Amino acid sequence: MTEAWRLTATELASLIRSRQCSAEEAAQSALQRLAAVNPAINAVVEHRPDEVLAQARAIDAALARGEDPGPLAGVPVTTKVNVDQRGFATTNGLRAQQDWVAEHDSPVVENLRRAGAVLLGRTNTPAFSYRWFTSNLLHGQTLNPRDARLTPGGSSGGAGASVAAGIGHIAHGTDIAGSVRYPAYACGVHGLRPSLGRIPAYNASSPERGIGPQLMAASGPLARSVADLRLALQVMAAPDARDPWWVPAPLQGPAAPLRAALCLRPEGLATQPEVVAALLDAAERLRSAGWQVDEIDTLPPLREAVRLQMRLWLGEGYAAQVAAAEREGDPGALTALAGYRAVAEGLPPGSLSDTLTRRATLVRLWQLFFERYPVLLLPVSAELPFANDLDLQGEAAYARVWEAQLTQIGLPFMGLPGLTVSTGLVGRTPVGVQLTASRFREDLCLLAGEAIEAGGTPSAPVDPWGP
């Protein structure tokens, strides 16, 4: 049989449920893979092998009793260090939080556990989860298993690197400005940022989030197959009363025409030729699967959404965020906040109310757009994955990074879902595309994503910096 760590989550869960592979064997395979490759990439920053094996044995015991262990049935899954997992510190990449040990699971972790997942380890994030690069003073730097010179993405860089290297079959991540979608893009896997209210969120270990993160941040899965994302979404989206934003929306919406819009250069974005080529290829894959794809030049406001998103995320409580970053002393976090200083300090009184009012208008415009085109195909980033720590190479480099990430920052302001689909490599560098749809229509993103995936080479785990 193929080594268990190489299988997709869907394949492995089926084998465990049918008793062709035990959960303990799968856990041992995952732990061996982690031990073999994690020292090179530092994707998982804390794990406890004895606890992992105990979880797996509990799954096997449930199966032996004839019980249903859940849809994930012993599948090893990683969780990001910015969500509560009981008994582990919710560090968010901060020395200041290394003693914030969670007493209870967050909703998404509890949902994974209830579905039979074996929680394999905790994945790295940049300090405060601020960057599209992953390093911090507590856990160190995470490297991209495909090429150490490239960023693994961020803020869920540990999640992207781990699943790309075969450490776990599904990785949990969070996304407020691309933090699931960009690590998936950079590491050559797939990643889904769901709609606002789809997956419940709450950290009892931490203060209540501000209104910006409440409206725009979302947990989501990264995996090597779109089918695994579909399975993970089903599990992660189970209800939890601790999140007042959670919505009991069906995972499968009404039938929609197979019609997509393709926008190569949203609002004048200077999309690199390699990224344009990936988008055109993805559009052809959709057409081959029976989709109508129309290339368009004009979208509802996206640059304005970026400006307003930053007001809600970094503008609110800016001085307190700077003070916390200065106490931490993390250069990446300080650079990220310095890049927004002029805007944050120039916000007029009443800007929060104005921003929320304008948000309703932008959501309406995007909803009307999706009445005509149920799915939109657009860049994840204007560029191929950046060189590691590009954002620390001066003001011009920082501005270049922010401009390239236009679509990642803007879409969460409207609470929209976004799916990164890896489409292949340019040399050794991953490339992919992004799909978005109306709120709570992750099913349409996944449907189109499966068609794009089927037209290419499946994503497979890689050895760090192998051939």
Side-chain angles (χ1 to χ4, degrees):
M1 186 181 79
T2 301
E3 292 171 287
W5 64 265
R6 295 183 181 276
L7 300 172
T8 68
T10 306
E11 292 167 341
L12 182 59
S14 176
L15 289 175
I16 293 173
R17 293 172 71 89
S18 64
R19 311 294 293 276
Q20 297 178 66
C21 174
S22 71
E24 184 173 1
E25 288 170 334
Q28 288 173 335
S29 180
L31 288 168
Q32 289 167 3
R33 180 62 177 173
L34 189 156
V37 300
N38 193 61
I41 59 175
N42 192 38
V44 174
V45 294
E46 187 174 7
H47 76 292
R48 300 171 186 169
D50 289 346
E51 292 186 15
V52 172
L53 292 172
Q55 293 175 70
R57 290 175 188 133
I59 297 294
D60 287 333
L63 284 166
R65 294 191 298 267
E67 299 172 3
D68 183 355
L72 288 177
V75 172
V77 174
T78 59
T79 60
K80 189 175 174 181
V81 292
N82 68 346
V83 295
D84 285 354
Q85 181 176 331
R86 66 174 183 261
F88 289 82
T90 307
T91 70
N92 202 20
L94 302 174
R95 294 177 296 184
Q97 293 183 200
Q98 61 187 312
D99 296 323
W100 289 20
V101 177
E103 297 181 4
H104 308 281
D105 288 335
S106 65
V108 68
V109 173
E110 185 171 301
N111 285 344
L112 287 166
R113 205 188 290 273
R114 188 185 299 120
V118 169
L119 304 181
L120 177 62
R122 305 278 280 166
T123 57
N124 205 11
T125 188
F128 300 95
S129 296
Y130 275 163
R131 300 169 65 212
W132 294 289
F133 308 81
T134 297
S135 65
N136 57 68
L137 299 177
L138 176 62
H139 302 303
Q141 185 175 44
T142 295
L143 299 178
N144 190 324
R146 293 188 180 273
D147 188 335
R149 297 167 298 180
L150 301 176
T151 177
S155 62
S156 306
S162 65
V163 80
I167 304 173
H169 306 260
I170 293 169
H172 159 268
T174 60
D175 187 317
I176 194 172
S179 291
V180 164
R181 291 164 289 155
Y182 192 63
Y185 178 76
C187 292
V189 296
H190 312 307
L192 175 66
R193 177 222 139 80
S195 309
L196 166 67
R198 172 64 81 188
I199 293 176
Y202 174 65
N203 279 343
S205 68
S206 311
E208 197 76 75
R209 299 175 299 166
I211 190 61
Q214 286 189 42
L215 283 174
M216 298 181 298
S219 280
L222 297 87
R224 297 185 296 270
S225 79
V226 177
D228 285 358
L229 295 182
R230 189 184 290 277
L231 174 63
L233 177 65
Q234 169 196 338
V235 165
M236 290 178 168
D240 193 296
R242 291 174 289 176
D243 185 356
W245 293 103
W246 183 82
V247 175
L251 288 170
Q252 189 69 35
L258 299 182
R259 185 165 60 243
L262 166 64
C263 190
L264 299 173
R265 301 173 183 85
E267 295 206 37
L269 188 68
T271 311
Q272 286 184 340
E274 298 89 345
V275 178
V276 170
L279 288 162
L280 293 172
D281 175 57
E284 285 306 310
R285 296 186 198 183
L286 284 173
R287 291 185 181 109
S288 295
W291 286 70
Q292 174 188 332
V293 182
D294 298 339
E295 186 173 337
I296 63 172
D297 296 321
T298 303
L299 293 176
L302 199 54
R303 290 191 181 276
E304 181 184 3
V306 169
R307 292 194 298 272
L308 297 177
Q309 203 266 26
M310 298 313 300
R311 281 190 184 183
L312 284 185
W313 180 27
L314 294 179
E316 185 191 16
Y318 178 76
Q321 293 179 70
V322 170
E326 289 174 342
R327 289 193 297 271
E328 185 68 21
D330 184 271
L334 290 167
T335 298
L337 290 168
Y340 193 65
R341 177 173 287 116
V343 176
E345 293 180 348
L347 292 177
S351 62
L352 176 60
S353 176
D354 292 345
T355 298
L356 293 174
T357 300
R358 182 60 180 165
R359 180 179 181 273
T361 303
L362 266 61
V363 170
R364 181 180 302 111
L365 292 172
W366 278 90
Q367 294 288 93
L368 290 170
F369 172 84
F370 289 123
E371 289 288 300
R372 179 176 183 187
Y373 290 108
V375 170
L376 171 63
L377 173 62
L378 73 171
V380 181
S381 173
E383 301 191 22
L384 294 174
F386 304 125
N388 229 337
D389 291 335
L390 176 63
D391 62 335
L392 303 184
Q393 307 308 310
E395 292 183 6
Y398 182 84
R400 169 186 160 190
V401 168
W402 273 86
E403 170 63 14
Q405 311 295 63
L406 171 74
T407 64
Q408 294 172 55
I409 308 168
L411 294 176
F413 182 70
M414 283 75 67
L416 300 174
L419 170 64
T420 289
V421 180
S422 177
T423 57
L425 299 172
V426 178
R428 294 181 55 151
T429 301
V431 69
V433 300
Q434 182 171 196
L435 296 159
T436 187
S438 188
R439 290 178 300 170
F440 302 109
R441 293 314 306 262
E442 294 88 358
D443 58 324
L444 296 178
C445 293
L446 293 167
L447 183 67
E450 285 167 336
I452 293 171
E453 178 187 43
T457 302
S459 180
V462 297
D463 292 328
W465 317 309

